[in-house]
Amino acid sequence: MCLAVPGRVLDIEDRDGTRMATVDFGGVVKEVCLEYLPDLQVGEYAIVHVGFALQRLDEESARQTLELFAELGMLQEEFGDPWEEAAAVEAGEDAVREVRK
């Protein structure tokens, strides 16, 4: 699944003519393109989808959404470590093999 997730802009810089930001998604920090929201400023929140900031969002709405996503485990699903997930799947398969013995 690919969510549109709210995040807070920590830093903005120009990279080869493209406005980019470092954005915090409830503890997960990613690089985001700001070309669709050229006037977004440090400290503001935006909805981000597939690496692009799409819509400005107020802080309270962003906080509520991040809390809900965290409760539902959706942030881990969206931003989780693929190596950690693969290890968990493998561990689950090992457990199934043990039960079948």
Side-chain angles (χ1 to χ4, degrees), residues 24-43:
D24 178 9
F25 300 96
V28 176
V29 177
K30 300 279 186 179
E31 296 300 309
V32 171
C33 179
L34 298 182
E35 290 300 302
Y36 295 130
L37 293 174
D39 60 339
L40 196 65
Q41 300 298 314
V42 170

Side-chain angles (χ1 to χ4, degrees), residues 17-92:
T18 302
R19 196 160 185 257
M20 298 293 292
T22 303
V23 177
D24 178 9
F25 300 96
V28 176
V29 177
K30 300 279 186 179
E31 296 300 309
V32 171
C33 179
L34 298 182
E35 290 300 302
Y36 295 130
L37 293 174
D39 60 339
L40 196 65
Q41 300 298 314
V42 170
E44 291 186 306
Y45 289 80
I47 297 290
V48 177
H49 181 62
V50 293
F52 289 87
L54 300 177
Q55 181 179 346
R56 184 176 276 106
L57 188 65
D58 65 275
E59 183 175 358
E60 180 62 20
S61 296
R63 187 189 61 73
Q64 289 175 353
T65 302
L66 284 169
E67 285 177 6
L68 178 61
F69 284 1
E71 286 175 25
L72 296 173
M74 297 173 87
L75 288 178
Q76 181 63 25
E77 183 178 320
E78 185 70 12
F79 296 122
D81 181 345
W83 295 107
E84 183 179 300
E85 290 174 26
V89 168
E90 181 62 27

